[in-house]
């Protein structure tokens, strides 16, 4: 799923490891979500949204062609 | 930078190798004892069953690792890896069974478990690489 995680992270000068620590997940998970290879569960998506103070839709983009 | 591993993964990594090692050691001991005819009667069955203790232990460790893993991505790697490992093992052992009908050498069933372990590990390594 396409998303703006990398941009949001860069705006805050956070590394993948920084974001992983804040979300209490592994760095590999952050990488897999960021590159769109792994879709987070709804609870994790909410945690990500809350961390950046945005809505889920503002961060994740639904891939309608699938 | 050192990777931070989840508690579930750390506990699994700490316990899996001694358990696997005891499987190999008990298997060697039991094979040796049975082949040398050192024991007879019903105790042969007890000796033969020895390696099944760590075998169940390994399965329990994997089950525990998956159920206590809080990182959903890591859990999906586990689940998908086991799926691939189980599939590969089923195909390989069944196909070998067909080949045995044609005269291929017999492979004892206790090789199923090491094969399953190896296939699952290989699948997990491949999956991690794919998600990188």
């Amino acid at each position: 799923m396409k998303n703006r995680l990398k941009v949001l992270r860069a705006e805050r000068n956070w590394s993948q490891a920084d974001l992983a620590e804040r979300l209490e997940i592994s760095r590999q998970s952050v990488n897999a979500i960021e590159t769109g290879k792994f879709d987070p569960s709804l609870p994790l998506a909410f945690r990500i949204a809350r961390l950046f103070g945005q809505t889920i839709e503002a961060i994740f983009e639904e891939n309608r062609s699938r | 930078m050192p990777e931070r591993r989840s508690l579930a993964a750390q506990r699994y990594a700490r316990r899996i190798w001694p358990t696997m090692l005891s499987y190999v050691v008990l298997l060697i001991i039991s094979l040796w004892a049975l082949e040398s005819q050192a024991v007879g009667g019903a105790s042969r069955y007890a000796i033969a069953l020895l390696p099944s203790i760590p075998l169940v232990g390994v399965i329990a460790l994997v089950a525990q690792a998956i159920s206590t893993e809080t990182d959903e991505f890591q859990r999906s790697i586990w689940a998908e890896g086991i799926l691939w490992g189980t599939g590969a093992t089923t195909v390989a052992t069944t196909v070998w069974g067909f080949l045995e009908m044609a005269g291929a050498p017999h492979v004892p069933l206790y090789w199923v478990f090491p094969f399953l372990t190896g296939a699952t590990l290989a699948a997990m390594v491949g999956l991690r690489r794919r998600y990188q």
Side-chain angles (χ1 to χ4, degrees):
Chain A
M1 192 175 267
K2 273 178 74 179
N3 60 78
R4 297 177 46 238
L5 272 190
K6 199 170 182 174
V7 177
L8 293 167
R9 197 162 58 71
E11 282 171 6
R12 287 156 182 80
N13 243 332
W14 291 347
S15 66
Q16 286 188 343
D18 294 333
L19 180 57
E21 201 165 320
R22 285 178 162 86
L23 292 168
E24 292 181 321
I25 59 176
S26 63
R27 191 201 54 78
Q28 293 98 319
S29 309
V30 168
N31 185 60
I33 295 168
E34 199 171 284
T35 51
K37 291 173 181 166
F38 180 79
D39 294 338
S41 67
L42 207 44
L44 180 54
F46 271 115
R47 255 157 60 208
I48 294 170
R50 206 175 305 132
L51 180 66
F52 289 115
Q54 303 195 10
T55 60
I56 290 177
E57 298 95 306
I59 300 174
F60 293 96
E61 191 180 306
E62 191 187 1
N63 190 354
R64 283 171 187 273
S65 63
R66 222 163 67 176
Chain B
M1 187 172 57
E3 288 290 343
R4 218 187 67 178
R5 301 169 80 183
S6 68
L7 286 175
Q10 283 174 26
R11 184 167 48 202
Y12 175 80
R14 209 169 44 234
R15 292 178 183 172
I16 191 64
W17 293 112
T19 316
M20 285 297 276
L21 186 69
S22 55
Y23 174 74
V24 173
V25 169
L26 286 179
L27 183 62
I28 290 169
I29 290 175
S30 116
L31 284 174
W32 170 82
L34 294 174
E35 267 172 37
S36 70
Q37 304 289 328
V39 280
S43 48
R44 285 180 67 80
Y45 287 93
I47 297 284
L49 282 174
L50 271 182
S52 58
I53 302 166
L55 168 81
V56 172
V58 171
I59 303 286
L61 280 180
V62 171
Q64 190 187 39
I66 296 176
S67 60
T68 56
E69 177 61 75
T70 50
D71 188 316
E72 60 191 50
F73 169 68
Q74 303 293 349
R75 208 166 48 214
S76 83
I77 297 255
W78 270 108
E80 219 177 317
I82 289 168
L83 218 54
W84 279 101
T86 313
T89 307
T90 307
V91 170
T93 52
T94 309
V95 166
W96 193 261
F98 295 149
L99 290 174
E100 283 190 9
M101 294 193 294
H106 176 66
V107 177
L109 275 177
Y110 54 71
W111 283 107
V112 169
F113 179 57
F115 188 94
L116 172 68
T117 311
T120 304
L121 281 177
M124 286 175 75
V125 169
L127 286 165
R128 280 185 199 289
R129 203 161 290 169
R130 197 180 78 188
Y131 282 119
Q132 255 169 20

